[in-house]
Amino acid sequence: MKTPIFVRSFSDEERERLKAGLRSKDTFTMRRSQIILASSRGERAPRIAKNLGCASQTARDAINDFNERGLLALEAKSSRPRRTRDAFDQQSAKALREMLHRSP
């Protein structure tokens, strides 16, 4: 069993921003606010996940992210891959370019 994690204590400004996040039109912000506030009430990640209909790892990720980045955790990070690999090597890419630039 994993060790239960909880959010760190937060300032009045952070608490107000989290409460405002509950009314956000952005579903990511709203869900993160729900998870973080539930954790501050002492609820564990599996119970939070059950109540919100998400995976317990999602709740743990939100809690860890808030503990590391603070209110920036309410904003979604880029979903772009950090690295990409080429679909073609140099020779195949050259052959494809030649094929595309030939007239029919």
Side-chain angles (χ1 to χ4, degrees):
M1 181 176 191
K2 295 188 179 189
T3 306
I5 61 167
F6 299 99
V7 292
R8 61 174 172 73
S9 57
F10 33 80
S11 66
D12 293 334
E13 177 194 346
E14 289 176 322
R15 183 175 300 279
E16 291 305 314
R17 289 268 313 269
L18 288 167
K19 287 182 180 179
L22 294 175
R23 297 181 302 277
S24 175
K25 292 181 181 180
D26 181 26
T27 56
F28 183 86
T29 302
M30 182 184 67
R31 178 58 56 98
R32 282 282 175 112
S33 297
Q34 290 171 330
I35 292 170
I36 294 165
L37 288 170
S39 179
S40 73
R41 291 189 301 266
E43 292 183 39
R44 294 182 178 193
R47 181 167 182 180
I48 295 169
K50 184 178 178 185
N51 289 341
L52 297 178
C54 64
S56 58
Q57 187 61 49
T58 302
R60 282 192 290 276
D61 289 344
I63 293 166
N64 284 326
D65 197 23
F66 180 78
N67 287 340
E68 290 174 16
R69 299 187 319 139
L71 291 174
L72 290 176
L74 298 179
E75 299 171 10
K77 295 180 195 173
S78 172
S79 61
R80 182 179 148 258
R82 293 180 191 195
R83 292 186 337 178
T84 60
R85 61 183 182 88
D86 295 331
F88 301 100
D89 60 6
Q90 291 290 346
Q91 185 178 1
S92 299
K94 183 178 178 183
L96 179 61
R97 261 187 248 107
E98 289 174 4
M99 184 172 50
L100 291 173
H101 293 289
R102 265 188 277 166
S103 59

